[in-house]
Amino acid sequence: MTPKTGERHTQLELCIPYVFGRLNPGNRKQFEAHLATGCELCKRELSELYEATALLPLLIRQEAPPPGLRQRILSRISSRKPEQARVERTPASREGRESVVTPATRPPRSWYQYAAAALGILIIVALVIFVNDLVGTTRNQERTIAQLKGDLQQQNELASILKAPKVEIVSLSGIEPGSSVYGKILWDSSSRKAMLQINEVPVTPEGKEYQLWMLKEQKYFSIGEFQTDSTKASLLKVIDLPGEVNQRIEGFVLTLEPKGGSPQPTGSIYLRGAR
Amino acid sequence: VQRNILLQRQQSDREDGELVKKIQRGDQRALASLYDRYAGVLYPFSLRVTGAREAAEDVVQDVFVHVWGKAGSYAPQSGSVYAWMTAVCRMKSLDKVRSTSQKKQGQEMKGVPHQSSQEGEQKSAQPETIIAMKGFTEAARNSLRSLSKLELRLLELSYYEGQSQSDLARMLRIPLGTIKGKMRRGIQKLRQVLAEEAV
């Protein structure tokens, strides 16, 4: 709103601090709202002030910008479209602050923004792969650690069996003519822990598993089932012996039974050993 | 001579206006022409504000990218293209300083000797990077001699460093009223340069 002739226009006093960017946010907003009303007096004042202050840089000794800057600018704008002529530029928008904060006036995206976005996506994909790989590695390491813990526990159990004051041992041998399978079993009656060790044991057939039996008073007592695979030619296993273990153990046999085990030996005997 | 300067300036403003119209149509050569005219002023101007060559380069880039993007909003009746670019350059330079804290008050510029306008006026070798402004620049320099040292210093501190009047009063130990009066008179003298030109 342009004041009438002779009327004091207080907003004019705000023009200088406005041009110098020294109005506080509240006053600035208020002043810009006033400018938006179309006050010709203030617009003219601002225009003159901007022209006047633009003289100051002319007093600085001129200096050519670095070579290459011109080309960099032209490269930067090469993928952008300039804004078409539209509304009258207000003094408030002269410094272009709106262009920084208003999405509607945001300049079009340039090639390097798309490149940055593509790079960002690539980085994210790489990170996902890396994290997956890391998770996989971590899982593998966890498996290895669990296996090592198991091995260590077994070693400790073996050591405790071997350290026991009274350890008994029975050699196991194949009963088939020419069989190369052999092994041994050690046990500690006080802890009822036994160590089974077998060499050259064949790979367990599909649907079958090996079952170890303890022979006591002419009766077989199952003391565990296990399988072997092609990765191991020998087997070392710690077994808990059932019930009362005493001098009545007469021997051990290893048979091949249906998967899940049998209450009594039904399959062929692979190994046998007697006290 | 004064009339020649006026005609030269009017011609320059018209040419700038035509360049902006071409930029609106996507003419990159027009932007290159505008660069050739004003980069030689805007770069040292930003260098004066930021105190760092790299920052000044960034600012000048941003100014011309801004002009390219906002050419459609330019209205000749609001002022000259040069004044518009200068205002954008000042705002972006001060933003740069605020964001990077590259410059402290009273600190010498990195690799650039601190130069007041009056010193610059005496030393100026003035490469002819802005031929269109040459006559006007000389007239402005001559006319600005009417500014006292204090008036010029206050304008510079406020314009280049974004110092408020109360900051200036504290820093220079001068009453706030005196600061306001001196700055107002300094600005009036600047405007006088333009008024005399237009006579």
Side-chain angles (χ1 to χ4, degrees), chain B residues 105-125:
Chain B
Q105 184 184 322
Q107 183 185 9
E108 281 204 345
M109 291 185 285
K110 294 167 190 170
V112 184
H114 185 84
Q115 178 201 96
S116 78
S117 297
Q118 287 179 336
E119 287 165 354
E121 182 186 351
Q122 289 162 3
K123 289 178 187 173
S124 176

Side-chain angles (χ1 to χ4, degrees), chain A:
Chain A
M1 180 193 297
T2 305
K4 293 173 186 172
T5 311
E7 189 180 334
R8 186 167 176 266
H9 191 46
T10 52
Q11 280 87 354
L12 271 178
E13 293 173 12
L14 300 177
C15 288
I16 289 178
Y18 181 77
V19 167
F20 280 83
R22 300 309 312 181
L23 280 184
N24 66 43
N27 285 342
R28 180 186 170 94
K29 199 173 171 184
Q30 211 169 11
F31 184 63
E32 286 175 351
H34 167 70
L35 293 174
T37 64
C39 176
E40 289 301 325
L41 210 59
C42 284
K43 279 187 181 179
R44 194 165 54 246
E45 177 76 0
L46 283 178
S47 177
E48 287 180 16
L49 284 171
Y50 277 117
E51 294 293 337
T53 51
L55 293 175
L56 288 169
L58 294 174
L59 304 180
I60 302 172
R61 183 169 44 183
Q62 292 172 22
E63 181 177 336
L69 181 59
R70 186 177 188 267
Q71 192 50 49
R72 284 203 295 279
I73 291 168
L74 293 176
S75 299
R76 244 179 100 176
I77 61 159
S78 60
S79 60
R80 298 175 182 219
K81 285 184 181 174
E83 189 182 62
Q84 298 300 305
R86 44 171 199 178
V87 293
E88 180 184 341
R89 179 171 53 92
T90 64
S93 66
R94 180 186 285 267
E95 293 188 10
R97 289 190 181 275
E98 291 78 2
S99 67
V100 177
V101 296
T102 310
T105 58
R106 190 174 293 152
R109 294 184 186 281
S110 66
W111 67 268
Y112 63 82
Q113 283 173 303
Y114 286 113
L119 184 65
I121 290 166
L122 278 176
I123 289 171
I124 290 167
V125 169
L127 275 173
V128 168
I129 292 170
F130 174 73
V131 168
N132 277 341
D133 194 39
L134 200 63
V135 168
T137 306
T138 306
R139 282 178 183 158
N140 284 338
Q141 286 174 339
E142 283 172 352
R143 274 196 292 271
T144 306
I145 290 169
Q147 190 178 344
L148 288 171
K149 278 183 179 173
D151 288 350
L152 181 64
Q153 188 182 355
Q154 183 172 269
Q155 294 296 327
N156 288 336
E157 287 173 341
L158 288 173
S160 68
I161 293 170
L162 293 171
K163 281 191 290 187
K166 193 177 178 183
V167 177
E168 295 191 64
I169 182 167
V170 168
S171 292
L172 304 170
S173 54
I175 59 168
E176 296 288 333
S179 172
S180 60
V181 186
Y182 67 99
K184 62 183 78 71
I185 186 164
L186 295 87
W187 75 94
D188 170 26
S189 300
S190 61
S191 66
R192 296 209 312 268
K193 290 277 185 189
M195 182 198 85
L196 173 67
Q197 189 262 317
I198 309 171
N199 294 307
E200 307 294 337
V201 61
V203 174
T204 314
E206 187 70 28
K208 301 279 186 179
E209 63 185 0
Y210 291 107
Q211 192 163 4
L212 185 67
W213 306 90
M214 181 172 69
L215 186 61
K216 226 168 46 168
E217 296 174 341
Q218 299 297 312
K219 290 180 182 173
Y220 289 101
F221 297 88
S222 174
I223 55 175
E225 302 90 27
F226 55 89
Q227 290 185 319
T228 58
D229 57 40
S230 57
T231 61
K232 289 180 181 174
S234 65
L235 183 140
L236 187 65
K237 195 171 173 66
V238 174
I239 301 164
D240 290 315
L241 296 176
E244 292 180 8
V245 179
N246 52 35
Q247 300 298 319
R248 286 175 296 176
I249 293 177
E250 294 156 4
F252 297 90
V253 293
L254 183 72
T255 61
L256 189 64
E257 301 293 336
K259 199 167 184 179
S262 304
Q264 287 296 309
T266 58
S268 31
I269 296 174
Y270 269 80
L271 284 170
R272 183 172 58 188
R275 291 179 73 182

Side-chain angles (χ1 to χ4, degrees), chain B residues 9-193:
Chain B
R9 177 68 196 271
Q10 285 175 340
Q11 175 66 18
S12 173
D13 285 349
R14 269 198 302 276
E15 288 168 359
D16 290 347
E18 288 304 314
L19 288 174
V20 170
K21 281 182 189 169
K22 287 180 180 175
I23 290 170
Q24 289 170 2
R25 296 194 292 269
D27 187 341
Q28 293 185 20
R29 285 173 305 177
L31 189 83
S33 297
L34 216 51
Y35 178 91
D36 293 338
R37 283 178 172 230
Y38 297 118
V41 173
L42 297 178
Y43 175 69
F45 171 33
S46 182
L47 189 57
R48 170 73 176 81
V49 177
T50 62
R53 293 188 185 279
E54 197 179 337
E57 273 187 57
D58 289 348
V59 167
V60 172
Q61 273 199 56
D62 290 346
V63 170
F64 283 96
V65 171
H66 182 91
V67 168
W68 179 258
K70 294 287 170 189
S73 304
Y74 172 72
Q77 61 270 28
S78 296
S80 68
V81 173
Y82 168 69
W84 173 37
M85 293 174 71
T86 308
V88 173
C89 187
R90 176 177 180 268
M91 183 271 291
K92 288 187 180 293
S93 298
L94 288 173
D95 283 350
K96 194 86 175 172
V97 171
R98 287 185 199 110
S99 64
T100 59
S101 302
Q102 282 180 319
K103 189 182 175 194
K104 292 177 183 173
Q105 184 184 322
Q107 183 185 9
E108 281 204 345
M109 291 185 285
K110 294 167 190 170
V112 184
H114 185 84
Q115 178 201 96
S116 78
S117 297
Q118 287 179 336
E119 287 165 354
E121 182 186 351
Q122 289 162 3
K123 289 178 187 173
S124 176
Q126 195 177 337
E128 302 303 321
T129 54
I130 50 162
I131 295 165
M133 302 293 286
K134 186 183 173 230
F136 184 63
T137 304
E138 286 171 356
R141 282 188 170 154
N142 290 333
S143 304
L144 282 167
R145 286 191 175 134
S146 61
L147 264 73
S148 72
K149 279 188 178 179
L150 180 59
E151 287 166 349
L152 187 58
R153 183 73 182 135
L154 291 175
L155 288 176
E156 284 178 336
L157 286 171
S158 189
Y159 192 66
Y160 296 129
E161 299 181 14
Q163 301 278 357
S164 70
Q165 292 180 330
S166 23
D167 288 343
L168 291 172
R170 269 194 300 274
M171 190 172 81
L172 303 174
R173 294 178 185 176
I174 295 173
L176 182 60
T178 308
I179 296 282
K180 285 182 176 175
K182 292 279 181 190
M183 277 193 70
R184 203 176 295 119
R185 270 194 294 280
I187 291 168
Q188 279 307 116
K189 286 176 183 174
L190 283 179
R191 295 172 75 166
Q192 191 63 26
V193 174

